[in-house]
Amino acid sequence: MRNIFNFVKAAAQKAKAKFNGVKAAVCRKISRTRAAVNAAAYRLSVRSKFVLAETRGENFVDSGIKILIAVVIGALLLGGLYALFGETIMPTVTEKVKDMFDFKG
């Protein structure tokens, strides 16, 4: 009987040692992850501080001009296509369709 108790005690000690090893590994992993998150948060805060402290407005003016140019060019293209279809292409197509239906072959 004493032999069984010693066996159980030894098994419990092995399990406890293994659990402590796993626990230590998990604690190391958590502390490494926490350190990485803290470092990333610090880098982000430093970067955002520099970005917010900049007083140059170079991107706003450039973007506005690009958008304005795109809108004007698009309007010119649409106006030209509308005029082309309205005066040149559609009357010709309409005439050809009427000629097809009036065919007395």
Side-chain angles (χ1 to χ4, degrees):
M1 192 71 163
R2 187 173 245 196
N3 213 2
I4 291 175
F5 288 127
N6 287 337
F7 176 74
V8 171
K9 186 177 178 182
Q13 286 175 349
K14 282 183 184 179
K16 188 175 180 182
K18 189 171 186 176
F19 176 76
N20 284 338
V22 170
K23 183 179 172 186
V26 168
C27 286
R28 282 193 304 271
K29 181 76 170 179
I30 288 172
S31 60
R32 281 191 213 129
T33 305
R34 184 182 299 150
V37 167
N38 286 342
Y42 177 74
R43 284 192 306 267
L44 180 65
S45 69
V46 168
R47 262 192 232 144
S48 63
K49 186 169 102 175
F50 285 128
V51 168
L52 291 174
E54 281 189 19
T55 56
R56 296 181 303 181
E58 62 188 37
N59 290 334
F60 298 112
V61 175
D62 293 346
S63 298
I65 291 174
K66 288 176 190 174
I67 291 170
L68 188 61
I69 290 171
V71 168
V72 169
I73 290 174
L76 289 174
L77 284 173
L78 284 175
L81 286 173
Y82 183 75
L84 183 67
F85 270 89
E87 296 174 3
T88 306
I89 295 173
M90 288 308 288
T92 308
V93 170
T94 306
E95 183 181 312
K96 286 185 179 183
V97 169
K98 283 182 182 176
D99 287 344
M100 269 188 350
F101 282 109
D102 289 339
F103 184 70
K104 304 274 194 226

